[in-house]
Every structure is written in structure tokens, then in C-alpha cells.
Amino acid sequence: MQRYYSFACYPIIASLLSMTITLAFSLPAYHNVRRITRLQLLVIRRRLALQMTAMTLARVLVLIVCGLPFICSLLWKLNINTPEDNYLGLTIFSLISSILDSVFYANFAINFYVFLMVSSRFCRQVKNIILKKCWALVKTRRHETPSYIHRNQIFFEPIQPSGSVYELT
């Protein structure tokens, strides 16, 4: 099992295959944008295509930067035998492994921030949503009367007089 993980799973399936697939789809997108910039298209469409390509390439770069150290630490953990009585070495490797695990898993959560830094249109849209839509929602919620005030009120309901005197007795 150790040989499978050290020679097949981590180096080929987890790193080489995933990064090859990512590059295989991002490079045609890059070439497509290069082709779009040479065509006679609207300037706005060219800018949007360039920003999409920049977002894609930034995403690939973040995947490589965050993924490779994690794969290397897993391979090192599998193939390097440290003695059990070397507590300092085990502790240092455990700390480095925890940091690299956190960086690898942050890879999936960092997309929003990468896109904010790379694309000006994405940044404008986020500002628009936060400032206009959410702020309008907060303002409307502030001016409404709270629901707990309406919940416990007692209202007087007048008794409707009926046509017969004998109904009340």
C-alpha cells in the first residue's frame, strides 16, 4: 500500500493528473482570449475575456502553489522513516505538515479573494452587491417594527349581538 501511495496515488493521480487536467483546460482558454484580442470585437467584450483568462490562470497558479508542497510533504511522510524516539523531529515534521495541510485546504476557500484581486469587474460586482443590496436590506430591516412586539399583544374582540335573547341564557 505504501508503494502504491508513494509511486501512483500521490505523484500521479493527486498531483500530475489533476494539474494536467487543469492546465489542459486553462491553456485553451488562454489561447481563445489571445485570438479574441486580435478579432474586431467590442472593447468591453475583450476586457471581459481578458479578465476571465486572468482569473483562470490565477486559479491554476494558486492550485499549483498550494498543492505541490502538500503532495511533497505526503511523499516525504511515506518514504522517510524517522525513529519513534526522535520527538523533536516528529514534532517539527508534524508542525510543517499541519501548516501545509492548512495551505492546501485554504486553496479551496481562497478563490473568492483571488478573483477579487485579479478582476476589476468582479470587484465592482461584489461592491455593488454588498453596498447596495445588503445595505438596502439592512435599512429596511431597521425601519420595520420588530416581530416580538406584535406577537404578545392582546386585542379586544367585541361580541356580536345576535337576533335572539334566549341564546345567552
Side-chain angles (χ1 to χ4, degrees):
M1 196 64 167
Q2 183 179 359
R3 285 185 181 171
Y4 166 72
Y5 277 116
S6 60
F7 293 116
C9 185
Y10 292 140
I12 295 172
I13 295 172
S15 63
L16 186 64
L17 185 65
S18 67
M19 290 183 196
T20 303
I21 290 172
T22 305
L23 286 172
F25 286 106
S26 63
L27 288 177
Y30 176 73
H31 289 295
N32 188 26
V33 170
R34 298 280 295 184
R35 185 181 56 82
I36 286 174
T37 56
R38 288 186 294 245
L39 295 176
Q40 297 295 326
L41 294 176
L42 295 172
V43 175
I44 295 171
R45 182 161 176 193
R46 276 190 258 160
R47 285 184 190 160
L48 293 177
L50 286 173
Q51 287 181 7
M52 277 301 284
T53 304
M55 290 167 65
T56 304
L57 293 177
R59 177 69 196 111
V60 169
L61 183 67
V62 167
L63 175 69
I64 291 171
V65 166
C66 293
L68 278 180
F70 177 73
I71 299 295
C72 292
S73 73
L74 287 176
L75 288 173
W76 186 19
K77 186 188 302 186
L78 281 173
N79 295 319
I80 302 297
N81 294 329
T82 55
E84 294 295 325
D85 60 345
N86 186 4
Y87 296 115
L88 181 63
L90 290 173
T91 305
I92 291 172
F93 181 73
S94 176
L95 175 67
I96 291 171
S97 179
S98 297
I99 291 170
L100 292 177
D101 289 351
S102 299
V103 168
F104 177 70
Y105 292 120
N107 173 32
F108 302 109
I110 204 168
N111 293 334
F112 175 76
Y113 302 107
V114 170
F115 294 158
L116 270 180
M117 290 187 296
V118 171
S119 175
S120 61
R121 182 178 173 96
F122 186 77
C123 188
R124 274 196 315 266
Q125 286 179 340
V126 168
K127 283 180 188 176
N128 182 24
I129 289 172
I130 290 175
L131 292 178
K132 290 185 180 176
K133 310 263 178 168
C134 295
W135 185 249
L137 182 66
V138 167
K139 284 172 75 175
T140 58
R141 295 282 181 188
R142 194 178 74 203
H143 292 301
E144 289 178 1
T145 55
S147 61
Y148 63 85
I149 292 176
H150 296 298
R151 224 178 317 160
N152 295 326
Q153 288 184 352
I154 300 173
F155 293 102
F156 173 72
E157 293 184 19
I159 300 175
Q160 298 291 331
S162 64
S164 170
V165 179
Y166 299 110
E167 285 183 12
L168 297 175
T169 57

